[in-house]
Amino acid sequence: MHSGATNGNGHASDAGALPPLSLSILGVEPLDEFIREVADFIHYQISTRPQDLVGAVEVEAKIGILRDRDTGKRLQLPILTETILAPNAIDMRFEANMSAKQHQHYNELLNKLKTTPTSAHPSSTLAYQHLHLVDTFYAQDGGGRGDKVRVTRDEKTGTVLECVRKIRLADLNIYSPKRAADWRISVNLEVPVPPPLGTSTHSRKKDRMRYSHEEFVIDLTQVTSTAGGNAKTEVLHELELELARPEYLLSTAAKRGDANVSEHDRGAFDELIRAFVNNARILVRNADGGWQ
Amino acid sequence: MHSGATNGNGHASDAGALPPLSLSILGVEPLDEFIREVADFIHYQISTRPQDLVGAVEVEAKIGILRDRDTGKRLQLPILTETILAPNAIDMRFEANMSAKQHQHYNELLNKLKTTPTSAHPSSTLAYQHLHLVDTFYAQDGGGRGDKVRVTRDEKTGTVLECVRKIRLADLNIYSPKRAADWRISVNLEVPVPPPLGTSTHSRKKDRMRYSHEEFVIDLTQVTSTAGGNAKTEVLHELELELARPEYLLSTAAKRGDANVSEHDRGAFDELIRAFVNNARILVRNADGGWQ
């Protein structure tokens, strides 16, 4: 219908001569609805967490596969692009495991970033640590919230690094039909507890490569689980992205949208979650298909 | 687990003192998967359009409601954020109609933009035209592709403005559960034809407010349809966003990703579609709920 018309700015037909397009009729990008949903979810979980428990709020994204509980196959929905699933609407489970090949692929990818400064932020390279840990789990005394106590030790020295009760607050599942993997965002509360008595239910060894970048930690872990006694051991490969500093998360969350603080502080929570989602997306998009 | 740690950049706890976060571990925003999918879809339709027909490629987004064919109710899927639906996977129809109240709401919104230059591009205000048109439709002789011929006249003068056969190439439906409306992207071919003989099947009057911005046209139209004879008239309200210059669309599409042209020309198609999607999203997000 509008063939041959020129627009109000007098654009000529030669593409090379055109001024840059505005981002929109409002001159700005519309808000990223996906990132906003994730930020609202995490903020809600932080705001409504149990006030009787003092602990660190852990926010993490795990890379894996959403599986239909009936068929065991990867979830299939009639949609073409990444989206957040409504909680409890679909009978599925999230499998954080990946293949050894996939694990190696991520290892190579992250090692490259470790040594190649990005052009945007040449100083922001990834720091690297190789950790050898042993987790031992204990049933919670007296039931209560029903969560287990986890004791984490340095494998070589046996030093106890952490002794916590981990309480799952909520998950958000992200279906990613264009990629080889899906992902899940979890908000947990890690409450420090005294070393438990009694016999452990099971333990696992973690051979972990940890990459740190600004406010984030990426853990690429080979987990060897033993259920106890003569049970078979199971080897899993996991990739997690975690917010590095729970206290920074809480301080930005408390100031979100607060008219009494600076614009920078008011927006810091959403900026943090934006970078978190960006990093998770980059990890998911670099899944090489070793999962399905 | 990482409570109390500072990261590699030595961030202190005072949020105000922190340097800005990098956009990601790669220093850049990941590609917008949604916009890329739309661009790939439109590019594919352009590349594979019938070569025996010479006409303008029309790309438009309509705002409306996706309805379940069985229940007639708005489609409901177990997802929380805007996503593109797989073609032909769901039994539904798209209803481009909106309420008169909704129509008025958009009219006010767009009139404001007409007179309020955006801060980003102060010169890019919306141009405005009020059009009074009459479309008359004729059955296509001899069947063929089965598409109707449309003759568009100026209502007052009776001058024929356009006489085309409109051939639908493909649609992409976008489900937008957080908003009061969904949307559909359509790619059509408009082939100029000689004025048809015989009796028209039906006609419609279009009272159209047209807002133009750079490469885009937003048509807010009240359509009065008459099916012929003594049939009742029906009044519909439509909102469409259209690419203003089919020849510019084709020229950018031809250079997409071409290593032999400048980076600007190579990326012009994707920039055009980005602004198109941004504008459609802004329109959808300003739906005030008058639909459901």
Side-chain angles (χ1 to χ4, degrees), chain B residues 29-90:
Chain B
E29 293 267 3
L31 191 84
D32 187 311
E33 186 176 280
F34 183 103
I35 293 176
R36 177 60 174 269
E37 184 74 14
V38 172
D40 286 349
F41 163 78
I42 294 172
H43 195 263
Y44 178 81
Q45 296 305 329
I46 289 173
S47 310
T48 60
R49 72 189 189 279
Q51 291 301 316
D52 56 326
L53 296 168
V54 178
V57 174
E58 180 196 55
V59 172
E60 63 183 6
K62 290 178 192 241
I63 315 296
I65 293 285
L66 291 166
R67 292 196 188 276
D68 184 302
R69 268 192 206 278
D70 274 347
T71 66
K73 288 190 181 158
R74 186 172 178 195
L75 192 68
Q76 280 202 302
L77 295 174
I79 63 179
L80 297 183
T81 44
E82 183 188 64
T83 193
I84 302 173
L85 301 182
N88 308 317
I90 300 171

Short mmCIF file of all heavy atoms in Angstrom, two decimals, chain B residues 29-90:
data_model
loop_
_atom_site.label_atom_id
_atom_site.label_comp_id
_atom_site.label_asym_id
_atom_site.label_seq_id
_atom_site.Cartn_x
_atom_site.Cartn_y
_atom_site.Cartn_z
N GLU B 29 25.25 -7.73 25.40
CA GLU B 29 23.93 -8.34 25.58
C GLU B 29 23.85 -9.55 24.65
O GLU B 29 24.27 -9.47 23.50
CB GLU B 29 22.82 -7.37 25.11
CG GLU B 29 22.64 -6.14 25.94
CD GLU B 29 21.60 -6.29 27.04
OE1 GLU B 29 21.05 -7.39 27.20
OE2 GLU B 29 21.36 -5.31 27.74
N PRO B 30 23.30 -10.65 25.12
CA PRO B 30 23.07 -11.73 24.15
C PRO B 30 22.02 -11.29 23.14
O PRO B 30 21.20 -10.43 23.42
CB PRO B 30 22.55 -12.88 25.02
CG PRO B 30 22.10 -12.27 26.30
CD PRO B 30 22.83 -10.97 26.46
N LEU B 31 22.11 -11.85 21.96
CA LEU B 31 21.14 -11.59 20.89
C LEU B 31 19.71 -11.79 21.40
O LEU B 31 19.45 -12.72 22.15
CB LEU B 31 21.41 -12.63 19.80
CG LEU B 31 20.74 -12.45 18.46
CD1 LEU B 31 21.54 -11.48 17.61
CD2 LEU B 31 20.65 -13.80 17.75
N ASP B 32 18.78 -10.93 20.99
CA ASP B 32 17.38 -11.12 21.34
C ASP B 32 16.81 -12.22 20.44
O ASP B 32 16.58 -12.03 19.26
CB ASP B 32 16.61 -9.81 21.15
CG ASP B 32 15.18 -9.91 21.67
OD1 ASP B 32 14.48 -10.89 21.32
OD2 ASP B 32 14.75 -9.02 22.40
N GLU B 33 16.60 -13.39 21.05
CA GLU B 33 16.16 -14.58 20.31
C GLU B 33 14.82 -14.36 19.60
O GLU B 33 14.59 -14.85 18.49
CB GLU B 33 16.04 -15.72 21.32
CG GLU B 33 15.74 -17.05 20.75
CD GLU B 33 15.73 -18.13 21.83
OE1 GLU B 33 16.81 -18.58 22.22
OE2 GLU B 33 14.64 -18.50 22.30
N PHE B 34 13.94 -13.61 20.26
CA PHE B 34 12.61 -13.34 19.73
C PHE B 34 12.70 -12.51 18.44
O PHE B 34 12.12 -12.84 17.41
CB PHE B 34 11.82 -12.59 20.81
CG PHE B 34 10.39 -12.30 20.47
CD1 PHE B 34 9.37 -13.04 21.03
CD2 PHE B 34 10.06 -11.25 19.62
CE1 PHE B 34 8.04 -12.76 20.74
CE2 PHE B 34 8.74 -10.97 19.33
CZ PHE B 34 7.73 -11.72 19.88
N ILE B 35 13.47 -11.42 18.52
CA ILE B 35 13.61 -10.54 17.35
C ILE B 35 14.30 -11.28 16.21
O ILE B 35 13.91 -11.15 15.04
CB ILE B 35 14.38 -9.25 17.74
CG1 ILE B 35 13.53 -8.42 18.72
CG2 ILE B 35 14.72 -8.43 16.50
CD1 ILE B 35 14.21 -7.17 19.25
N ARG B 36 15.28 -12.10 16.54
CA ARG B 36 15.96 -12.89 15.53
C ARG B 36 15.01 -13.85 14.83
O ARG B 36 15.05 -14.02 13.60
CB ARG B 36 17.13 -13.65 16.17
CG ARG B 36 17.89 -14.57 15.23
CD ARG B 36 18.49 -13.78 14.06
NE ARG B 36 19.32 -14.63 13.25
CZ ARG B 36 20.64 -14.80 13.44
NH1 ARG B 36 21.26 -14.15 14.40
NH2 ARG B 36 21.32 -15.61 12.67
N GLU B 37 14.11 -14.46 15.60
CA GLU B 37 13.14 -15.40 15.03
C GLU B 37 12.21 -14.68 14.05
O GLU B 37 11.91 -15.18 12.96
CB GLU B 37 12.33 -16.05 16.16
CG GLU B 37 11.34 -17.12 15.71
CD GLU B 37 12.00 -18.42 15.31
OE1 GLU B 37 13.20 -18.61 15.61
OE2 GLU B 37 11.32 -19.25 14.67
N VAL B 38 11.76 -13.49 14.44
CA VAL B 38 10.88 -12.70 13.57
C VAL B 38 11.63 -12.31 12.29
O VAL B 38 11.10 -12.44 11.18
CB VAL B 38 10.36 -11.44 14.30
CG1 VAL B 38 9.62 -10.52 13.33
CG2 VAL B 38 9.46 -11.83 15.46
N ALA B 39 12.88 -11.87 12.44
CA ALA B 39 13.67 -11.46 11.28
C ALA B 39 13.90 -12.65 10.34
O ALA B 39 13.77 -12.52 9.12
CB ALA B 39 15.00 -10.86 11.73
N ASP B 40 14.22 -13.81 10.91
CA ASP B 40 14.42 -15.01 10.08
C ASP B 40 13.14 -15.38 9.33
O ASP B 40 13.18 -15.76 8.16
CB ASP B 40 14.87 -16.20 10.95
CG ASP B 40 16.31 -16.06 11.41
OD1 ASP B 40 17.03 -15.18 10.90
OD2 ASP B 40 16.73 -16.85 12.29
N PHE B 41 12.01 -15.29 10.03
CA PHE B 41 10.71 -15.61 9.42
C PHE B 41 10.42 -14.69 8.24
O PHE B 41 10.10 -15.14 7.13
CB PHE B 41 9.61 -15.48 10.49
CG PHE B 41 8.21 -15.38 9.94
CD1 PHE B 41 7.55 -16.52 9.48
CD2 PHE B 41 7.56 -14.16 9.89
CE1 PHE B 41 6.25 -16.43 8.98
CE2 PHE B 41 6.27 -14.06 9.38
CZ PHE B 41 5.61 -15.19 8.92
N ILE B 42 10.56 -13.39 8.45
CA ILE B 42 10.25 -12.42 7.38
C ILE B 42 11.23 -12.59 6.22
O ILE B 42 10.85 -12.59 5.05
CB ILE B 42 10.27 -10.97 7.93
CG1 ILE B 42 9.13 -10.79 8.94
CG2 ILE B 42 10.16 -9.95 6.80
CD1 ILE B 42 9.17 -9.47 9.70
N HIS B 43 12.50 -12.79 6.57
CA HIS B 43 13.51 -12.97 5.52
C HIS B 43 13.22 -14.22 4.69
O HIS B 43 13.34 -14.20 3.46
CB HIS B 43 14.90 -13.06 6.15
CG HIS B 43 16.01 -12.88 5.17
ND1 HIS B 43 16.66 -13.94 4.59
CD2 HIS B 43 16.55 -11.76 4.62
CE1 HIS B 43 17.57 -13.48 3.75
NE2 HIS B 43 17.52 -12.17 3.75
N TYR B 44 12.81 -15.29 5.35
CA TYR B 44 12.48 -16.53 4.64
C TYR B 44 11.29 -16.31 3.71
O TYR B 44 11.30 -16.77 2.56
CB TYR B 44 12.18 -17.64 5.65
CG TYR B 44 11.78 -18.94 5.00
CD1 TYR B 44 12.75 -19.81 4.51
CD2 TYR B 44 10.44 -19.28 4.86
CE1 TYR B 44 12.38 -21.00 3.89
CE2 TYR B 44 10.07 -20.47 4.24
CZ TYR B 44 11.05 -21.32 3.76
OH TYR B 44 10.69 -22.49 3.14
N GLN B 45 10.27 -15.61 4.18
CA GLN B 45 9.09 -15.36 3.34
C GLN B 45 9.44 -14.51 2.13
O GLN B 45 8.92 -14.72 1.03
CB GLN B 45 7.97 -14.69 4.15
CG GLN B 45 7.42 -15.55 5.29
CD GLN B 45 6.93 -16.91 4.83
OE1 GLN B 45 6.45 -17.07 3.71
NE2 GLN B 45 7.07 -17.91 5.68
N ILE B 46 10.33 -13.54 2.33
CA ILE B 46 10.76 -12.70 1.21
C ILE B 46 11.55 -13.53 0.20
O ILE B 46 11.34 -13.45 -1.01
CB ILE B 46 11.60 -11.51 1.73
CG1 ILE B 46 10.69 -10.52 2.48
CG2 ILE B 46 12.34 -10.81 0.59
CD1 ILE B 46 11.42 -9.40 3.17
N SER B 47 12.47 -14.35 0.72
CA SER B 47 13.36 -15.13 -0.16
C SER B 47 12.60 -16.17 -0.97
O SER B 47 13.02 -16.54 -2.07
CB SER B 47 14.43 -15.85 0.66
OG SER B 47 15.05 -14.97 1.54
N THR B 48 11.51 -16.69 -0.41
CA THR B 48 10.81 -17.80 -1.07
C THR B 48 9.48 -17.37 -1.68
O THR B 48 8.66 -18.21 -2.03
CB THR B 48 10.54 -18.94 -0.06
OG1 THR B 48 9.73 -18.42 1.01
CG2 THR B 48 11.84 -19.48 0.53
N ARG B 49 9.26 -16.07 -1.81
CA ARG B 49 7.97 -15.62 -2.37
C ARG B 49 7.86 -16.01 -3.84
O ARG B 49 8.89 -16.18 -4.51
CB ARG B 49 7.81 -14.11 -2.18
CG ARG B 49 8.70 -13.25 -3.09
CD ARG B 49 8.62 -11.79 -2.67
NE ARG B 49 9.27 -10.91 -3.63
CZ ARG B 49 10.58 -10.68 -3.71
NH1 ARG B 49 11.43 -11.32 -2.89
NH2 ARG B 49 11.07 -9.84 -4.59
N PRO B 50 6.63 -16.15 -4.34
CA PRO B 50 6.45 -16.58 -5.74
C PRO B 50 7.13 -15.61 -6.69
O PRO B 50 6.87 -14.40 -6.64
CB PRO B 50 4.92 -16.54 -5.93
CG PRO B 50 4.31 -16.30 -4.61
CD PRO B 50 5.37 -15.92 -3.63
N GLN B 51 8.00 -16.12 -7.53
CA GLN B 51 8.76 -15.25 -8.42
C GLN B 51 7.98 -14.88 -9.68
O GLN B 51 8.39 -14.00 -10.43
CB GLN B 51 10.10 -15.91 -8.79
CG GLN B 51 11.07 -16.00 -7.61
CD GLN B 51 11.42 -14.64 -7.01
OE1 GLN B 51 11.67 -13.67 -7.72
NE2 GLN B 51 11.39 -14.54 -5.68
N ASP B 52 6.84 -15.58 -9.90
CA ASP B 52 6.04 -15.28 -11.09
C ASP B 52 5.11 -14.09 -10.87
O ASP B 52 4.43 -13.64 -11.79
CB ASP B 52 5.22 -16.51 -11.49
CG ASP B 52 4.34 -17.01 -10.34
OD1 ASP B 52 4.78 -16.90 -9.17
OD2 ASP B 52 3.23 -17.49 -10.61
N LEU B 53 5.07 -13.57 -9.65
CA LEU B 53 4.17 -12.45 -9.36
C LEU B 53 4.98 -11.22 -8.99
O LEU B 53 5.82 -11.28 -8.10
CB LEU B 53 3.25 -12.82 -8.19
CG LEU B 53 2.29 -13.99 -8.44
CD1 LEU B 53 1.67 -14.45 -7.15
CD2 LEU B 53 1.23 -13.57 -9.45
N VAL B 54 4.72 -10.11 -9.65
CA VAL B 54 5.44 -8.88 -9.33
C VAL B 54 4.54 -8.02 -8.45
O VAL B 54 3.44 -7.65 -8.86
CB VAL B 54 5.83 -8.12 -10.61
CG1 VAL B 54 6.53 -6.81 -10.24
CG2 VAL B 54 6.75 -8.99 -11.47
N GLY B 55 4.99 -7.75 -7.25
CA GLY B 55 4.16 -6.95 -6.36
C GLY B 55 4.95 -6.48 -5.17
O GLY B 55 6.14 -6.78 -5.03
N ALA B 56 4.28 -5.73 -4.31
CA ALA B 56 4.93 -5.21 -3.12
C ALA B 56 4.79 -6.22 -1.98
O ALA B 56 3.74 -6.80 -1.79
CB ALA B 56 4.28 -3.89 -2.72
N VAL B 57 5.88 -6.41 -1.23
CA VAL B 57 5.82 -7.27 -0.04
C VAL B 57 5.35 -6.41 1.12
O VAL B 57 5.98 -5.41 1.47
CB VAL B 57 7.19 -7.90 0.27
CG1 VAL B 57 7.12 -8.67 1.59
CG2 VAL B 57 7.63 -8.81 -0.86
N GLU B 58 4.22 -6.80 1.68
CA GLU B 58 3.67 -6.07 2.82
C GLU B 58 3.96 -6.84 4.10
O GLU B 58 3.61 -8.02 4.20
CB GLU B 58 2.15 -5.91 2.62
CG GLU B 58 1.46 -5.16 3.74
CD GLU B 58 -0.06 -5.37 3.73
OE1 GLU B 58 -0.52 -6.53 3.76
OE2 GLU B 58 -0.77 -4.36 3.72
N VAL B 59 4.60 -6.18 5.05
CA VAL B 59 4.84 -6.80 6.36
C VAL B 59 4.09 -5.97 7.39
O VAL B 59 4.31 -4.75 7.49
CB VAL B 59 6.35 -6.84 6.70
CG1 VAL B 59 6.56 -7.30 8.14
CG2 VAL B 59 7.08 -7.77 5.74
N GLU B 60 3.20 -6.62 8.11
CA GLU B 60 2.41 -5.87 9.08
C GLU B 60 2.23 -6.66 10.37
O GLU B 60 2.29 -7.88 10.39
CB GLU B 60 1.04 -5.50 8.50
CG GLU B 60 0.18 -6.70 8.16
CD GLU B 60 -1.16 -6.33 7.51
OE1 GLU B 60 -1.39 -5.15 7.21
OE2 GLU B 60 -1.97 -7.25 7.30
N ALA B 61 2.04 -5.91 11.46
CA ALA B 61 1.69 -6.51 12.75
C ALA B 61 0.31 -5.99 13.12
O ALA B 61 0.07 -4.78 13.06
CB ALA B 61 2.71 -6.13 13.81
N LYS B 62 -0.59 -6.91 13.45
CA LYS B 62 -1.93 -6.51 13.90
C LYS B 62 -2.05 -6.81 15.37
O LYS B 62 -1.56 -7.84 15.85
CB LYS B 62 -3.01 -7.30 13.15
CG LYS B 62 -3.14 -6.94 11.68
CD LYS B 62 -4.21 -7.82 11.03
CE LYS B 62 -4.16 -7.68 9.53
NZ LYS B 62 -5.39 -7.15 8.96
N ILE B 63 -2.74 -5.94 16.08
CA ILE B 63 -2.96 -6.14 17.50
C ILE B 63 -4.35 -6.74 17.67
O ILE B 63 -5.31 -6.27 17.05
CB ILE B 63 -2.89 -4.80 18.27
CG1 ILE B 63 -1.68 -3.97 17.81
CG2 ILE B 63 -2.88 -5.03 19.77
CD1 ILE B 63 -0.35 -4.57 18.09
N GLY B 64 -4.48 -7.78 18.49
CA GLY B 64 -5.79 -8.40 18.68
C GLY B 64 -5.75 -9.49 19.73
O GLY B 64 -4.99 -9.42 20.68
N ILE B 65 -6.58 -10.51 19.52
CA ILE B 65 -6.69 -11.59 20.50
C ILE B 65 -6.60 -12.93 19.78
O ILE B 65 -7.27 -13.14 18.77
CB ILE B 65 -8.05 -11.51 21.24
CG1 ILE B 65 -8.14 -10.26 22.11
CG2 ILE B 65 -8.31 -12.75 22.08
CD1 ILE B 65 -7.32 -10.32 23.38
N LEU B 66 -5.78 -13.85 20.31
CA LEU B 66 -5.75 -15.22 19.82
C LEU B 66 -6.83 -15.99 20.58
O LEU B 66 -6.82 -16.02 21.81
CB LEU B 66 -4.38 -15.85 20.07
CG LEU B 66 -3.24 -15.28 19.23
CD1 LEU B 66 -1.89 -15.72 19.80
CD2 LEU B 66 -3.37 -15.71 17.77
N ARG B 67 -7.76 -16.57 19.82
CA ARG B 67 -8.88 -17.27 20.46
C ARG B 67 -8.88 -18.76 20.14
O ARG B 67 -8.67 -19.15 19.00
CB ARG B 67 -10.22 -16.67 20.02
CG ARG B 67 -10.45 -15.27 20.53
CD ARG B 67 -11.92 -14.86 20.40
NE ARG B 67 -12.08 -13.45 20.73
CZ ARG B 67 -12.21 -12.97 21.97
NH1 ARG B 67 -12.23 -13.80 22.98
NH2 ARG B 67 -12.33 -11.67 22.19
N ASP B 68 -9.12 -19.54 21.17
CA ASP B 68 -9.33 -20.98 21.02
C ASP B 68 -10.57 -21.18 20.15
O ASP B 68 -11.62 -20.60 20.41
CB ASP B 68 -9.56 -21.56 22.43
CG ASP B 68 -9.70 -23.07 22.42
OD1 ASP B 68 -10.60 -23.60 21.73
OD2 ASP B 68 -8.91 -23.73 23.10
N ARG B 69 -10.46 -22.00 19.10
CA ARG B 69 -11.59 -22.19 18.20
C ARG B 69 -12.76 -22.90 18.87
O ARG B 69 -13.92 -22.67 18.53
CB ARG B 69 -11.16 -23.00 16.97
CG ARG B 69 -10.71 -22.15 15.82
CD ARG B 69 -10.58 -22.97 14.55
NE ARG B 69 -9.61 -22.36 13.67
CZ ARG B 69 -9.89 -21.34 12.86
NH1 ARG B 69 -11.10 -20.83 12.81
NH2 ARG B 69 -8.95 -20.82 12.10
N ASP B 70 -12.46 -23.79 19.81
CA ASP B 70 -13.52 -24.53 20.49
C ASP B 70 -14.32 -23.64 21.43
O ASP B 70 -15.55 -23.58 21.35
CB ASP B 70 -12.92 -25.68 21.31
CG ASP B 70 -12.73 -26.92 20.46
OD1 ASP B 70 -13.28 -26.96 19.34
OD2 ASP B 70 -12.02 -27.84 20.91
N THR B 71 -13.62 -22.98 22.32
CA THR B 71 -14.31 -22.25 23.38
C THR B 71 -14.60 -20.80 23.00
O THR B 71 -15.46 -20.17 23.60
CB THR B 71 -13.44 -22.21 24.66
OG1 THR B 71 -12.26 -21.43 24.37
CG2 THR B 71 -13.02 -23.61 25.09
N GLY B 72 -13.88 -20.28 22.00
CA GLY B 72 -14.04 -18.88 21.64
C GLY B 72 -13.34 -17.94 22.61
O GLY B 72 -13.29 -16.73 22.42
N LYS B 73 -12.77 -18.53 23.69
CA LYS B 73 -12.08 -17.69 24.68
C LYS B 73 -10.64 -17.42 24.27
O LYS B 73 -10.09 -18.12 23.43
CB LYS B 73 -12.09 -18.41 26.04
CG LYS B 73 -13.46 -18.41 26.67
CD LYS B 73 -13.39 -18.89 28.10
CE LYS B 73 -14.78 -18.91 28.73
NZ LYS B 73 -14.85 -19.80 29.87
N ARG B 74 -10.05 -16.42 24.93
CA ARG B 74 -8.65 -16.13 24.65
C ARG B 74 -7.80 -17.34 24.98
O ARG B 74 -7.99 -18.02 26.00
CB ARG B 74 -8.18 -14.92 25.47
CG ARG B 74 -6.77 -14.50 25.07
CD ARG B 74 -6.34 -13.19 25.70
NE ARG B 74 -4.97 -12.87 25.33
CZ ARG B 74 -4.22 -11.96 25.93
NH1 ARG B 74 -4.72 -11.25 26.93
NH2 ARG B 74 -2.99 -11.74 25.54
N LEU B 75 -6.84 -17.61 24.11
CA LEU B 75 -5.92 -18.73 24.28
C LEU B 75 -5.23 -18.64 25.64
O LEU B 75 -4.89 -17.56 26.10
CB LEU B 75 -4.87 -18.65 23.17
CG LEU B 75 -3.96 -19.84 22.97
CD1 LEU B 75 -4.75 -21.03 22.45
CD2 LEU B 75 -2.85 -19.48 21.98
N GLN B 76 -5.07 -19.81 26.27
CA GLN B 76 -4.33 -19.85 27.54
C GLN B 76 -3.28 -20.95 27.47
O GLN B 76 -3.61 -22.12 27.26
CB GLN B 76 -5.29 -20.13 28.69
CG GLN B 76 -6.05 -18.90 29.15
CD GLN B 76 -6.55 -19.06 30.56
OE1 GLN B 76 -7.29 -20.00 30.84
NE2 GLN B 76 -6.16 -18.17 31.45
N LEU B 77 -2.03 -20.58 27.65
CA LEU B 77 -0.94 -21.55 27.67
C LEU B 77 -0.21 -21.42 29.00
O LEU B 77 -0.22 -20.35 29.61
CB LEU B 77 0.03 -21.28 26.51
CG LEU B 77 -0.52 -21.47 25.10
CD1 LEU B 77 0.50 -21.02 24.07
CD2 LEU B 77 -0.89 -22.93 24.87
N PRO B 78 0.44 -22.51 29.46
CA PRO B 78 1.09 -22.48 30.79
C PRO B 78 2.43 -21.75 30.78
O PRO B 78 3.44 -22.28 31.22
CB PRO B 78 1.26 -23.97 31.11
CG PRO B 78 1.43 -24.61 29.77
CD PRO B 78 0.57 -23.83 28.82
N ILE B 79 2.44 -20.54 30.22
CA ILE B 79 3.68 -19.77 30.16
C ILE B 79 3.43 -18.35 30.63
O ILE B 79 2.30 -17.87 30.59
CB ILE B 79 4.28 -19.77 28.74
CG1 ILE B 79 3.33 -19.10 27.75
CG2 ILE B 79 4.56 -21.19 28.27
CD1 ILE B 79 3.89 -19.06 26.35
N LEU B 80 4.50 -17.69 31.09
CA LEU B 80 4.34 -16.39 31.76
C LEU B 80 4.73 -15.19 30.91
O LEU B 80 4.41 -14.06 31.27
CB LEU B 80 5.17 -16.37 33.05
CG LEU B 80 4.77 -17.39 34.13
CD1 LEU B 80 5.63 -17.18 35.37
CD2 LEU B 80 3.30 -17.26 34.48
N THR B 81 5.50 -15.41 29.84
CA THR B 81 5.99 -14.26 29.07
C THR B 81 5.73 -14.44 27.58
O THR B 81 5.54 -15.55 27.10
CB THR B 81 7.50 -14.05 29.31
OG1 THR B 81 8.17 -15.31 29.25
CG2 THR B 81 7.76 -13.42 30.67
N GLU B 82 5.74 -13.31 26.89
CA GLU B 82 5.50 -13.24 25.45
C GLU B 82 6.32 -14.26 24.66
O GLU B 82 7.53 -14.35 24.84
CB GLU B 82 5.90 -11.83 25.00
CG GLU B 82 5.66 -11.51 23.56
CD GLU B 82 6.27 -10.16 23.20
OE1 GLU B 82 7.52 -10.02 23.28
OE2 GLU B 82 5.53 -9.24 22.86
N THR B 83 5.66 -15.01 23.79
CA THR B 83 6.42 -15.96 22.98
C THR B 83 5.76 -16.16 21.62
O THR B 83 4.59 -15.84 21.42
CB THR B 83 6.59 -17.31 23.71
OG1 THR B 83 7.56 -18.09 23.03
CG2 THR B 83 5.29 -18.08 23.76
N ILE B 84 6.54 -16.67 20.68
CA ILE B 84 6.05 -16.93 19.32
C ILE B 84 5.51 -18.35 19.27
O ILE B 84 6.18 -19.29 19.68
CB ILE B 84 7.19 -16.76 18.31
CG1 ILE B 84 7.78 -15.34 18.41
CG2 ILE B 84 6.69 -17.04 16.89
CD1 ILE B 84 9.02 -15.13 17.57
N LEU B 85 4.30 -18.51 18.74
CA LEU B 85 3.69 -19.83 18.67
C LEU B 85 4.15 -20.58 17.42
O LEU B 85 4.35 -19.98 16.36
CB LEU B 85 2.17 -19.70 18.66
CG LEU B 85 1.57 -19.00 19.89
CD1 LEU B 85 0.05 -18.97 19.79
CD2 LEU B 85 2.01 -19.68 21.18
N ALA B 86 4.31 -21.89 17.57
CA ALA B 86 4.66 -22.72 16.42
C ALA B 86 3.48 -22.71 15.45
O ALA B 86 2.32 -22.80 15.87
CB ALA B 86 4.96 -24.14 16.88
N PRO B 87 3.75 -22.57 14.14
CA PRO B 87 2.65 -22.51 13.16
C PRO B 87 1.84 -23.81 13.17
O PRO B 87 2.39 -24.90 13.30
CB PRO B 87 3.39 -22.35 11.83
CG PRO B 87 4.75 -21.88 12.17
CD PRO B 87 5.07 -22.45 13.52
N ASN B 88 0.53 -23.68 13.06
CA ASN B 88 -0.39 -24.82 12.89
C ASN B 88 -0.42 -25.81 14.04
O ASN B 88 -0.96 -26.90 13.91
CB ASN B 88 -0.06 -25.58 11.60
CG ASN B 88 0.00 -24.65 10.41
OD1 ASN B 88 -0.84 -23.77 10.27
ND2 ASN B 88 1.01 -24.82 9.57
N ALA B 89 0.16 -25.47 15.18
CA ALA B 89 0.21 -26.44 16.27
C ALA B 89 -1.02 -26.33 17.18
O ALA B 89 -1.34 -27.25 17.91
CB ALA B 89 1.48 -26.23 17.09
N ILE B 90 -1.70 -25.19 17.14
CA ILE B 90 -2.82 -24.95 18.04
C ILE B 90 -4.04 -24.56 17.20
O ILE B 90 -3.91 -23.78 16.25
CB ILE B 90 -2.47 -23.81 19.03
CG1 ILE B 90 -1.23 -24.18 19.85
CG2 ILE B 90 -3.65 -23.49 19.94
CD1 ILE B 90 -0.68 -23.04 20.68
#
